[in-house]
Amino acid sequence: MKRLLVGYDGSDPAREAARMAARIAAQLGAGLTIFTVGQIAPLVASMTGVLGPLVDEKLFRTTAEAGAETVRALGVEPEVRVELGDPADRILQAVDREGYDLVVVGHRGVGGIAGLILGSVAKRLAETAPCPVLVVRGTAPAAFRKLLVGIDGSEQAHRAAEVATALAGPSGAEVTLLYALDPTMLAAVGDDAARRQLRLALEKTGRDALEKAAQVCERAGVAHRTVLAEGRPVEVICKRARLGGYDLVALGRRGMTGLARFALGSVSDEVLRQVGRPVLLVGERAKKAPLG
């Protein structure tokens, strides 16, 4: 992981995102860009109805520089960039064009005519970015100690385990790999014998997925544990994240389909709303690339 981009809008969540990104960059020796996008309300500039911007990008430079100072206070010298336009579009274009390895944004942003509103586009970034997206909610941890990864056998969840392992390694953090067996799938089967067979099949799927993810940690020399739990995925993830004191939760944006599905994609929004911790999301476009 060589290059990080922080979507910075001056809000408290954005400052926490900048702090977390700076700590990650320092640990990994990665470059970091503070990227402020001004979303400007249009103004009718003349009687002809021609639309023009209300202000120019210079007015957002102060916001971007404040983000840069937050990062510099943690010993990281960032690149600072300011552009005008739709925040999600501009960030996605930059990531596509310049090959960033991780995007870090706050869960909520500022609104109003300043139009920086990064929190409202976090979901879109996670869905469409060609790299993992870290959405920071609450106070950024000073260091990673415990990371929780939702595993469901999908490629995106496996990639989430790879990224979490890369983040855990430099700080000596422990990774918990969690597979949730959803009881609603068993409840749909009326016959007892068929239900027992389905449970065995689902448990095997879970163990196989956990073993594959555990191999990622083993190759990297990262301490880890595997957990096969039973319950609705969103409830299992959020409860364990809160009670276990985890610093970060990592998920694939979309889960598997079919009988073995964990359906992480259907719960990732709920996890973002409920868990109160930074959430790393790996979407469909996220490319597999060296993380070291």
Side-chain angles (χ1 to χ4, degrees):
M1 194 175 293
K2 302 299 183 184
R3 304 186 70 201
L4 282 62
L5 183 148
V6 180
Y8 190 82
D9 66 0
S11 65
D12 289 340
R15 280 189 287 276
E16 293 302 318
R19 291 187 181 103
M20 175 167 274
R23 289 165 181 148
I24 293 171
Q27 288 186 332
L28 299 179
L32 188 152
T33 298
I34 294 291
F35 193 36
T36 295
V37 181
Q39 182 175 302
I40 308 301
L43 175 71
V44 177
S46 71
M47 294 299 292
T48 64
V50 175
L51 297 180
L54 187 64
V55 292
D56 64 34
E57 66 183 41
K58 294 178 182 177
L59 295 184
F60 295 96
R61 176 62 59 174
T62 300
T63 297
E65 288 297 340
E69 286 304 312
T70 296
V71 169
R72 291 185 185 112
L74 294 171
V76 174
E77 183 60 40
E79 176 188 4
V80 181
R81 292 175 54 182
V82 178
E83 293 186 11
L84 300 181
D86 177 82
D89 285 345
R90 293 296 186 182
I91 291 172
L92 290 169
Q93 288 166 10
V95 173
D96 275 326
R97 184 174 61 245
E98 300 171 37
Y100 287 94
D101 301 305
L102 180 69
V103 172
V104 187
V105 294
H107 185 252
R108 288 282 184 268
V110 298
I113 199 166
L116 300 173
I117 330 177
L118 277 176
S120 67
V121 302
K123 176 181 175 182
R124 183 177 164 200
L125 292 174
E127 289 176 339
T128 58
C131 67
V133 176
L134 177 54
V135 183
V136 178
R137 184 170 187 173
T139 302
F144 291 129
R145 299 171 295 107
K146 299 174 66 179
L147 284 71
L148 180 65
V149 185
I151 298 296
D152 70 347
S154 69
E155 181 57 35
Q156 290 179 34
H158 187 74
R159 174 68 171 146
E162 292 179 328
V163 179
T165 298
L167 296 177
S171 58
E174 179 186 69
V175 173
T176 296
L177 305 166
L178 171 66
Y179 185 99
L181 194 161
D182 193 337
T184 60
M185 300 175 69
L186 299 173
V189 180
D191 181 75
D192 289 345
R195 191 182 304 115
R196 285 193 295 272
Q197 290 299 313
L198 177 58
R199 174 181 286 277
L200 291 174
L202 291 174
E203 288 177 349
K204 182 180 185 305
T205 297
R207 287 193 297 269
D208 290 346
L210 288 170
E211 181 180 355
K212 181 180 178 183
Q215 290 172 1
V216 174
C217 297
E218 289 166 4
R219 288 194 294 268
V222 169
H224 63 283
R225 58 195 295 258
T226 60
V227 177
L228 181 63
E230 184 169 338
R232 292 183 62 247
V234 66
E235 295 173 358
V236 171
I237 293 169
C238 292
K239 182 177 180 179
R240 187 167 289 270
R242 289 192 297 266
L243 298 181
Y246 289 92
D247 303 305
L248 179 144
V249 177
L251 302 171
R253 181 68 191 173
R254 293 283 182 267
M256 290 179 67
T257 58
L259 278 179
R261 75 177 183 272
F262 184 0
L264 276 177
S266 67
V267 302
S268 56
D269 291 340
E270 282 300 314
V271 171
L272 272 174
R273 282 192 287 269
Q274 295 183 31
V275 78
R277 283 161 174 74
V279 177
L280 176 77
L281 294 174
V282 178
E284 289 137 340
R285 290 186 63 209
K287 302 172 184 176
K288 183 172 179 60
L291 293 172

